[in-house]
């Protein structure tokens, strides 16, 4: 086994890992969770006070 065999096995492993990540990310069982997570930046946090642009006391 020489270095080219190791490189070939590494490439195959990387392709399998990449395919697994794609399968996991686009699986239909996780669609609702990812849709909910995508809305997180747009949800107003009621615990935090509203930012006042005129408040320069800080």
């Amino acid at each position: 086994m020489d270095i080219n065999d190791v490189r070939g096995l590494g490439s195959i492993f990387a392709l399998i890992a990449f395919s697994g990540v794609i399968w996991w990310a686009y699986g239909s069982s996780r669609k609702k969770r990812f849709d909910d997570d995508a809305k997180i930046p747009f949800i107003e946090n009621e615990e935090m006070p509203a930012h006042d642009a005129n408040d320069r006391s800080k």
Side-chain angles (χ1 to χ4, degrees), residues 13-57:
F13 175 74
L15 178 64
I16 291 170
F18 179 76
S19 298
V21 168
I22 295 298
W23 171 79
W24 175 81
Y26 288 100
S28 61
S29 63
R30 285 166 288 283
K31 180 171 176 36
K32 181 177 176 354
R33 176 181 169 224
F34 288 149
D35 286 343
D36 291 343
D37 289 348
K39 296 175 188 173
I40 288 174
F42 305 109
I43 297 173
E44 262 189 60
N45 189 352
E46 296 173 1
E47 295 176 6
M48 297 291 291
H51 176 71
D52 186 7
N54 296 325
D55 183 17
R56 301 203 183 248
S57 62

